Amino acid sequence: MAKYSKKASEKVEETMREMKDGALKSGSGKKVTSKKQAVAIGLSEARKEGAKVPKKKS
């Protein structure tokens, strides 16, 4: 797995916890159940906050 900044790792950890609690929602408002989706949301949020995260692959 790729190494990300500490801030990005913390953000992903936070979103994973939210997913397990059932509080994490996707953009459409539906509950997130996939670990992959939770990680993607965490990295996206970290990117918005200015954390060092590689660019998305399109």
Side-chain angles (χ1 to χ4, degrees):
M1 190 173 145
K3 285 277 188 176
Y4 298 113
S5 66
K6 185 175 169 121
K7 188 174 182 182
S9 298
E10 288 170 357
K11 195 66 182 171
V12 169
E13 197 174 306
E14 185 183 315
T15 55
M16 287 296 284
R17 214 172 284 119
E18 282 182 39
M19 183 201 72
K20 288 178 182 176
D21 292 340
L24 187 62
K25 306 273 191 238
S26 66
S28 63
K30 292 188 176 185
K31 197 186 302 184
V32 173
T33 55
S34 164
K35 285 182 182 181
K36 280 186 176 182
Q37 194 174 7
V39 170
I41 291 169
L43 290 176
S44 177
E45 288 178 4
R47 230 179 246 114
K48 285 178 187 172
E49 290 179 3
K52 211 169 188 185
V53 182
K55 290 182 182 175
K56 291 193 289 187
K57 292 181 182 178
S58 45

